[in-house]
Amino acid sequence: MRIFPPAPRRDRRDAPRDAEYGFFSLDEGAHFRAQVREAFAEHGLEVTVHAGAVSDSAGRHFGMANLAAICHNDVRGRKRWPKVIREHVGRLLRVVDGPSPLETFAPEQLLARLRPWMVTQDVIEPDAAQYTHARVVAPGLCEVLALDMGESVMTLPDKYLALLGGVVDLRIRALDNLGALPVESHTVLQSAGGTRFDVVMGDSFFTASRVLAMNELARDLTGRDLGPNGALVAMPHRHQLAFRPIGTVQDTNLVQALNAMTVFAAANFEDAAGQVSPHVYWWRRGALTQLVLHDGGQPGCTENGEFEVLLMWLEGSNAGEHS
């Protein structure tokens, strides 16, 4: 996993662009879709290729946005795409054609794989009536209970959750499971001006979701609980989480850290597979407040009186400390 995404090998930016995936040229888009069709054919499945999905004769639809982003971001260029696409399609078909974990796993095995998964709301919006347990955690983001199947994630509609227990108890179990996950990679980024923040990365689909157990993660990595002022956090995509604890006194460079994390979040969100958010948030006592908004142009700070008061208080505390 890379902290900042490298520049992928691509056709020139002035080449005509693909209408569905603007990061592809027309030629790259055509090559990508041809490889997707061929990968399904290798599994004996003829599919109709649409702009952003494929469909088979059984009426099943498979989205391609994440796979397109993975190919686009592969720094080895499109010579590597056939292998990446074949592996992806193979995993996908193993999941959809195989037996359901709900039929083959014992209840305790299912509970051991239970996690809270933070996703964009459009992931469940088509079937929102089946996910009444979903919890909004920030504008456009929600938490849904799901099973970690290693190569994939299985979201659990209400009717399947009812087979395992009550939602409150299941969420407690899911959060405990999330907090017990190993940290795959941890890096501290530091700028020349002394701004620092932590970055956690991993192949797990639940890496960004660890913001739902932020205090436990911070304690594991730093040896200290987050203070009453919480932390700045960013979750560009599902495999990455950045955070910066906010102190109570002498917390210098907080604005600089916010600016640095804003650049980080935007750069790692763009064209990523499994996008979560390009924004920076204020985590405090389990709640997320959006601090930075990207609205098609330059990022800007949202108006938040509490955070502004906190900044003034920290500046006043620092001034008093050094007077």
Side-chain angles (χ1 to χ4, degrees), residues 112-160:
R113 293 176 177 267
L114 192 64
R115 317 269 191 268
W117 196 28
M118 188 172 61
V119 295
T120 55
Q121 284 187 276
D122 59 1
V123 170
I124 63 169
E125 272 179 358
D127 304 302
Q130 300 182 46
Y131 292 92
T132 61
H133 74 274
R135 186 176 70 93
V136 175
V137 296
L141 299 177
C142 67
E143 169 200 318
V144 63
L145 294 178
L147 296 178
D148 184 355
M149 304 309 298
E151 291 186 337
S152 63
V153 176
M154 179 180 178
T155 56
L156 292 172
D158 297 339
K159 64 179 181 180
Y160 294 133

Side-chain angles (χ1 to χ4, degrees), residues 93-321:
L93 293 178
R94 283 197 297 274
V95 172
V96 299
D97 291 336
S100 168
L102 298 169
E103 299 171 351
T104 58
F105 283 70
E108 188 55 39
Q109 291 176 305
L110 294 173
L111 290 173
R113 293 176 177 267
L114 192 64
R115 317 269 191 268
W117 196 28
M118 188 172 61
V119 295
T120 55
Q121 284 187 276
D122 59 1
V123 170
I124 63 169
E125 272 179 358
D127 304 302
Q130 300 182 46
Y131 292 92
T132 61
H133 74 274
R135 186 176 70 93
V136 175
V137 296
L141 299 177
C142 67
E143 169 200 318
V144 63
L145 294 178
L147 296 178
D148 184 355
M149 304 309 298
E151 291 186 337
S152 63
V153 176
M154 179 180 178
T155 56
L156 292 172
D158 297 339
K159 64 179 181 180
Y160 294 133
L161 282 180
L163 301 175
L164 297 175
V167 170
V168 174
D169 290 339
L170 290 175
R171 184 170 185 269
I172 292 173
R173 176 66 180 267
L175 283 169
D176 287 344
N177 291 342
L178 183 70
L181 291 177
V183 174
E184 296 179 55
S185 175
H186 171 228
T187 302
V188 178
L189 294 187
Q190 181 168 349
S191 70
T195 298
R196 297 164 53 95
F197 59 91
D198 295 74
V199 180
V200 175
M201 299 169 292
D203 292 329
S204 169
F205 284 79
F206 295 87
T207 301
S209 299
R210 297 188 72 148
V211 73
L212 300 170
M214 190 65 249
N215 193 58
E216 291 79 0
L217 178 62
R219 185 193 309 134
D220 289 344
L221 295 178
T222 69
R224 300 183 301 276
D225 288 338
L226 293 173
N229 294 328
L232 302 177
V233 297
M235 307 80 64
H237 55 81
R238 64 194 179 201
H239 302 291
Q240 197 172 59
L241 167 63
F243 71 96
R244 196 276 196 185
I246 300 174
T248 53
V249 294
Q250 294 184 313
D251 190 352
T252 59
N253 294 330
L254 185 57
V255 173
Q256 291 90 334
L258 177 60
N259 292 336
M261 290 180 66
T262 297
V263 174
F264 171 88
N268 284 277
F269 174 84
E270 185 179 9
D271 301 338
Q275 291 176 326
V276 178
S277 174
H279 309 307
V280 179
Y281 300 84
W282 181 18
W283 182 98
R284 187 174 53 154
R285 296 189 291 273
L288 290 176
T289 301
Q290 187 174 318
L291 294 178
V292 176
L293 174 66
H294 293 259
D295 192 18
Q298 290 296 318
C301 291
T302 61
E303 294 185 5
N304 185 277
E306 285 190 90
F307 190 72
E308 291 173 3
V309 169
L310 173 63
L311 288 176
M312 289 189 292
W313 182 82
L314 288 174
E315 289 177 0
S317 174
N318 291 334
E321 194 75 22

